[in-house]
Amino acid sequence: FDAAFFRISPLEAQMMDPQQRLVMELAWSCFEDANVRPADVAGSDLGVFVGASNSDYSRLMQDAGTEVEAHLGVASSLAVIANRVSYFFDLSGPSLLVDTACSSSLVALHTAIQSLHRNECSAALVAGVNVICHPDLSLAYHKAGMLAADGRCKVFDSRADGYVRAEGAVVLLIKPLRRAIAE
């Protein structure tokens, strides 16, 4: 992660939740894959919709005894993920984080599509991210009986006995079909 490239101080980059890093990097890659130059969308109404729920990186930093610095609040905030992307690429469309637990990414996509239909933005980056970096939530969910005993998802199956936590990240660029075909 090149902090200087993303206009982030070295101290802030050191404290930054890896979910923020991942979405920034994947947003850049998404533009590359879509053959969109970031300079061409700067100043546009392109929206940013991020689905994320897990914010245990700050707990990991507390456990490590990291001293509280001015950048800590921003660097460890989920709410900042979408805004950091909007700021870096100079986007002026809606910029928001959606936290609906396991459905966060899907609800972020749904919200972006609604925003496109309402002409609140002409295109949107939609992201989903989850990084598990502290064991507390997994332990709590296990103790509550929420996790599948064998570590396997069995959705809509009579043998279903819980869910499985996972990590990952994705960024998509979406736009109305007619515009996508025209471009």
Side-chain angles (χ1 to χ4, degrees):
F1 182 78
D2 186 349
F5 176 79
F6 286 109
R7 298 184 301 218
I8 299 166
S9 75
L11 181 59
E12 187 174 1
Q14 179 183 354
M15 296 180 155
M16 185 185 297
D17 187 317
Q19 296 174 125
Q20 290 188 21
R21 286 188 203 103
L22 278 169
V23 172
M24 290 292 292
E25 291 173 347
L26 289 173
W28 185 271
S29 293
C30 180
F31 282 139
E32 284 181 338
D33 291 345
N35 201 28
V36 172
R37 291 179 353 153
D40 293 344
V41 294
S44 74
D45 68 348
L46 196 142
V48 180
F49 301 81
V50 178
S53 183
N54 181 17
S55 181
D56 61 4
Y57 184 69
S58 59
R59 176 67 190 270
L60 185 68
M61 291 182 56
Q62 289 172 344
D63 288 355
T66 304
E67 187 175 330
V68 175
E69 298 285 343
H71 295 293
L72 182 61
V74 172
S76 63
S77 169
L78 287 183
V80 171
I81 299 173
N83 305 138
R84 191 178 289 282
V85 172
S86 294
Y87 173 77
F88 177 75
F89 291 107
D90 188 26
L91 307 174
S92 62
S95 182
L96 58 106
L97 177 99
V98 175
D99 180 354
T100 57
C102 296
S103 62
S104 297
S105 299
L106 181 61
V107 176
L109 177 61
H110 176 75
T111 305
I113 291 168
Q114 287 179 320
S115 187
L116 287 170
H117 285 302
R118 290 192 298 262
N119 294 316
E120 297 169 344
C121 57
S122 57
L125 284 175
V126 181
V129 63
N130 188 52
V131 174
I132 302 169
C133 51
H134 196 279
D136 279 0
L137 287 178
S138 293
L139 292 170
Y141 297 159
H142 171 73
K143 289 179 180 180
M146 297 165 60
L147 300 180
D150 61 1
R152 299 184 63 134
C153 288
K154 297 174 274 306
V155 180
F156 307 117
D157 189 308
S158 62
R159 298 171 295 137
D161 62 347
Y163 80 104
V164 178
R165 298 190 76 205
E167 298 179 298
V170 65
V171 176
L172 306 171
L173 176 62
I174 64 169
K175 56 182 79 171
L177 180 61
R178 289 182 188 172
R179 180 174 169 213
I181 291 171
E183 292 178 0

